[in-house]
Each structure stands twice: as C-alpha cells, then as structure tokens.
Amino acid sequence: MSRRTTRLLSVLLVLPALILGGCGDESADEGAGGEGLSAVTVSGDFGAEPTVTWDGDFDPGKLETETLITGDGAEVEEGQQVFTRLWLGNGFTESKAYSTFGEDAKPELLTVGGDMTSAISAGLKGQTIGSRVVVASPPKDAFGEQGNPQLGIGNADPVLFVMDLVSVLPDGPSGSDEKPAGWAPAVEGDEKPTSLDFKGTPEPSDKLRVTTLIEGDGDPTEKGQTIYVNYLGQVYHGEKPFDSSYERGEPLDFELGAGGVVKGWDQGLTGIPVGSRVILAVPPDLGYGEKGNKDAGIKGTDTLYFVVDVLAAI
C-alpha cells in the first residue's frame, strides 16, 4: 500500500555482510587495563544532548549500566516499543559516533527485547519513561564481530550508549467514541479490526471522505511529522482486506505530506488528533489511479476504504 521511509535505526543493527577491522587492537584482551563507566562522566538534562568527558582508558570488560536520571513514567515492558533519544560514543577514538538529540533529529523507536544489540537491550529493560540511562559496552555486546562501518565503529571498539526514554508507542487508539458518518462501513473485530462490512453502505463518492470513530486526546498531526499508524485497507464491497498492519503486528511509519503513501492518506490524515481511529474513503485518483495495483487486486476504478489508528506523531 505504501513505501516505508528510510529509518536511521538501520545504522544501529548489526550488518553481517560487512566486516570492518577494529580501530583498536583486536588481539588485546577485552577490558585489560581499562575501565567502564568509571572512565567517563556524562552530564546534562533529560532531552538535551549529553556532555561526555572521557576521564581515562575506556575499555569495559563487560556491560555496565547506570541510571543517571530516574523518570517518573511507567516501567517499560517486554515487547513494548519505546521512543528513545540515543547518543553513541566510540570508546577507542573517544568521540561521538551517532546522535538523535537536537531540534531536527527524531527519537528512534526501539523494541524492548527486540532485535537490538545487547547494550541497547540492557539500557531499556526495567527502566521507566523519563529516565536517562548510560551503558558502557565491550565490542561484542555493541555490534559484535562486524563492528558498525556506517558509524565508524570497528569490531574491537568499545562503545558508550546514552539513552533517554521518551515515551511508549501505544498499541491502540485512546480517546472518546464518536458516531461515524452514514457512508462508513462497519468495522469488524473485537479488539483489533479484522475486516470492513459494507452491508448497507451507499455507493462511494468521487471525493475523499473522513469520519472519526474515536476522537484522540493528542495534538493534531502536521505535515512533515513522522506518524505511526495501524491500518486495514479494503476495496468497496471487497470480500477481505488487501492489506492490514494489525495482522502483521507492525505499525507503519511515514512522513506526512511527503508523498510516501497514497495522496488520500497525506490529505486525510493531516490534522487528525493523535490517538484517533478514523475511516477514510479514498477515490481512485487519490489512491492508485487508473492503473490500480494489480499485486493487491485493486482495479483503477476501485474506491479504497481504510480504518486507521493514529498512534503517534513526532
């Protein structure tokens, strides 16, 4: 249905096909003659880029974790997705390698217990929202034998992680129930939508239409924001959905207004309060046009109906 925007998170994943020789001495004993968190000083307020002072030979022999600021939010749970500000330092060169702090940068969405490095997992587990956590990591627990060429981190380089836990991505809408417009199909499914029922639904219009099922209690979305949504799509009188993120268990993120999704989404989801569940009726010219989408079974004359949960906007 749409294309995903490139995520900065990709540079944090281990790249098994790329192996970079360590900037440090790979034959050196891990942690020999060095220190972990005692060799650095990290200061600064939550949400602001940390100030890191390298005080000694940073070469931790094992993972070390310290909570510098304890947040008063909820404790994160296994499987939850957490918006996190990240600062990474190369312990060999004693320099910043990566940061998502700053006005123009956006936090990463990390899954607690997910496919992350051991160091990042250690910084998330058991923490509360609003916390700042620092992790000193030996090479094997940061990026493994491959290192991380994109960040200039070799396979023998220790890494310092500073993590600000900003918020949890909700798993569903939150707000007040609203009566949908008469043109809208019924949504089937108890907790999560499974399909749309078009029984009694009038013929579609050639205009984009939006109706609210749940009015979210968050701020309205704006163009240029990255929004996170769950959705289900079905053509008018279609027997089953042609796409569903609910079924995959993986929300979609995209930049609103950037053309990465069908025009009906860019237009219809702008100004929607975060936490809302809406139904969109997207005419062909704001969907896939005259060519349709053969792979999804969508003809050029099909009107597309979507139920969309707007989970977050950053």
Side-chain angles (χ1 to χ4, degrees):
M1 195 284 301
S2 62
R3 64 173 179 82
R4 291 183 177 275
T5 55
T6 301
R7 298 287 294 134
L8 289 174
L9 183 58
S10 63
V11 302
L12 300 180
L13 300 176
V14 175
L15 305 175
L18 298 176
I19 300 177
L20 178 69
C23 296
D25 182 2
E26 190 174 8
S27 64
D29 292 335
E30 201 169 76
E35 299 176 287
L37 292 180
S38 61
V40 294
T41 300
V42 180
S43 59
D45 297 330
F46 180 89
E49 179 150 343
T51 299
V52 177
T53 304
W54 306 89
D55 300 320
D57 182 12
F58 182 80
D59 193 11
K62 62 180 181 179
L63 277 175
E64 297 179 24
T65 304
E66 182 180 353
T67 303
L68 300 182
I69 300 171
T70 301
D72 56 8
E75 182 175 332
V76 299
E77 300 177 359
E78 189 82 7
Q80 286 185 319
Q81 294 180 289
V82 182
F83 288 106
T84 308
R85 296 274 185 190
L86 288 169
W87 189 97
L88 275 66
N90 185 320
F92 178 73
T93 61
E94 297 186 353
S95 61
K96 180 174 74 174
Y98 179 78
S99 176
T100 61
F101 288 87
E103 292 183 3
D104 297 330
K106 296 181 179 181
E108 300 287 0
L109 186 62
L110 306 179
T111 300
V112 182
D115 188 22
M116 289 287 100
T117 70
S118 297
I120 290 178
S121 294
L124 292 175
K125 289 182 178 179
Q127 299 294 335
T128 56
I129 297 300
S131 294
R132 168 167 287 185
V133 185
V134 60
V135 180
S137 176
K140 67 181 181 65
D141 294 314
F143 299 105
E145 295 180 359
Q146 295 81 17
N148 195 311
Q150 291 176 273
L151 299 182
I153 295 174
N155 60 1
D157 294 341
V159 181
L160 179 71
F161 295 78
V162 183
M163 308 169 64
D164 282 7
L165 281 63
V166 179
S167 63
V168 172
L169 179 70
D171 58 6
S174 175
S176 56
D177 292 340
E178 300 290 333
K179 184 178 180 179
W183 57 261
V187 178
E188 296 187 329
D190 294 330
E191 295 184 3
K192 296 182 179 179
T194 57
S195 64
L196 298 175
D197 181 2
F198 291 96
K199 184 178 179 180
T201 302
E203 291 289 324
S205 165
D206 60 355
K207 304 295 183 182
L208 173 67
R209 296 192 288 191
V210 184
T211 189
T212 300
L213 303 182
I214 298 175
E215 179 81 13
D217 48 18
D219 294 332
T221 60
E222 299 178 2
K223 289 184 178 180
Q225 287 183 316
T226 298
I227 70 171
Y228 294 76
V229 302
N230 267 323
Y231 69 93
L232 177 148
Q234 196 166 331
V235 301
Y236 180 68
H237 276 322
E239 295 182 0
K240 62 181 181 180
F242 59 80
D243 194 13
S244 174
S245 70
Y246 300 104
E247 184 177 332
R248 291 192 298 274
E250 182 183 3
L252 172 72
D253 64 278
F254 64 96
E255 183 180 341
L256 189 59
V261 292
V262 296
K263 293 179 181 179
W265 272 37
D266 273 339
Q267 295 179 21
L269 295 178
T270 300
I272 300 297
V274 172
S276 296
R277 171 174 288 177
V278 299
I279 292 180
L280 307 179
V282 180
D285 64 315
L286 296 179
Y288 291 105
E290 295 179 357
K291 293 183 179 180
N293 186 322
K294 185 177 180 180
D295 292 339
I298 298 171
K299 301 189 297 292
T301 56
D302 283 335
T303 296
L304 311 179
Y305 286 74
F306 296 94
V307 54
V308 182
D309 292 346
V310 181
L311 303 176
I314 60 172

